[in-house]
Amino acid sequence: MRRFTTIQKCGFGFALLFLAVYALDFVPGVMDANGKMFGLFSMTTFVDVGHLGLGTLALICAFIGPRAARVYFWFLGFFYAADVITYFVTHLHTLPLIKNVLVNGPHLVVSIAAFLIAVNVGKRTAYAPADAAIA
């Protein structure tokens, strides 16, 4: 049986997250009459394809291996950071500030989490505890 590393498991988790968001479009009652998920998030075909693509890419990279998973998290961090900044700035005068923050909050959390995973998860430390050398 193949053992997956922690970063690969994170990749599977993000695949589940993005594919679940994609699937929510098809759950009755989640979308309002204006096509907004939970009355907040605009879900267009472009956004749906993005969630489906990011979820599929996370799954593929997680199965390929730890290096591919790390590349995915770097890509995701930059992609989502650009998305947050672009959306927030372009909607400063069209949305109330609180709604703009609420719409961008989850995306900002995903971006920060992706960067933290890419930087920290599965990296070896520069030093080993003294007890490790004895064992």
Side-chain angles (χ1 to χ4, degrees):
M1 175 107 180
R2 182 175 173 185
R3 294 191 51 109
F4 293 108
T5 64
T6 303
I7 198 161
Q8 287 175 284
K9 291 175 185 176
C10 290
F12 292 129
F14 272 70
L16 180 64
L17 169 75
F18 283 114
L19 295 174
V21 169
Y22 171 75
L24 279 174
D25 269 4
F26 305 102
V27 175
V30 173
M31 302 295 283
D32 68 8
N34 296 324
K36 294 193 179 285
M37 184 178 286
F38 306 118
L40 194 59
F41 303 102
S42 295
M43 301 305 282
T44 63
T45 302
F46 180 75
V47 173
D48 285 341
V49 169
H51 287 126
L52 181 61
L54 287 171
T56 304
L57 187 60
L59 191 61
I60 292 168
C61 288
F63 273 119
I64 289 173
R67 285 187 188 162
R70 189 170 313 284
V71 169
Y72 168 79
F73 283 112
W74 279 113
F75 167 78
L76 178 64
F78 282 113
F79 177 80
Y80 254 49
D83 180 50
V84 167
I85 292 166
T86 302
Y87 190 92
F88 187 83
V89 170
T90 58
H91 289 83
L92 274 174
H93 301 293
T94 59
L95 286 177
L97 182 60
I98 188 69
K99 188 168 187 176
N100 201 350
V101 169
L102 288 172
V103 167
N104 282 291
H107 299 90
L108 182 60
V109 168
V110 167
S111 179
I112 291 170
F115 281 130
L116 289 173
I117 290 168
V119 170
N120 295 313
V121 174
K123 294 275 185 153
R124 293 193 176 114
T125 57
Y127 65 92
D131 293 332
I134 297 171

